[in-house]
Amino acid sequence: MNIVRRTLEIDADTDARLREMADERGQDVAAVLAEAVALLDSVVDIAGPDIAEDRRRLDDFRKSRAAVPLDEVKDWVASWGSPKELPRPVARRIG
């Protein structure tokens, strides 16, 4: 493998979470980041965002006002793999 050294600036909470994830997996932080990038690449098409789908979803939200607050999504994702994993949050009328 060809190794490239890169310096990144991240906040302390992200750094702590990266180290925690690496420790949990018995990997180094670089391996965790490589897996995260591979996962992102498999899920998000950066080259071609689907603007029409984004507009449809925004229109749906404007009509229903149903959504999940971001803090609830963050808490849910942070709980993944923990003994106290949270159930998937449910959209509800907000605003």
Side-chain angles (χ1 to χ4, degrees):
M1 176 184 351
N2 188 12
I3 302 295
V4 175
R5 187 167 303 276
R6 189 173 300 274
T7 301
L8 302 173
E9 293 182 16
I10 57 175
D11 62 82
D13 290 339
T14 301
D15 181 59
R17 183 63 182 128
L18 276 171
R19 291 177 189 277
E20 181 181 320
M21 292 170 72
D23 290 344
E24 289 171 356
R25 291 168 172 76
Q27 299 174 314
D28 60 19
V29 169
V32 172
L33 285 172
E35 287 179 10
V37 169
L39 176 61
L40 178 63
D41 191 42
S42 73
V43 176
V44 177
D45 181 7
I46 304 239
D50 188 347
I51 302 300
E53 175 67 11
D54 292 345
R55 288 195 183 279
R56 185 192 66 73
R57 290 179 183 213
L58 179 58
D59 289 343
D60 287 350
F61 169 74
R62 286 179 172 155
K63 290 175 191 169
S64 69
R65 303 302 295 179
V68 177
L70 181 57
D71 286 340
E72 290 180 26
V73 174
K74 287 180 178 181
D75 291 344
W76 173 57
V77 171
S79 77
W80 291 355
S82 75
K84 295 182 180 178
E85 190 168 316
L86 298 172
R88 181 179 181 167
V90 177
R92 63 184 180 279
R93 188 169 176 82
I94 61 172

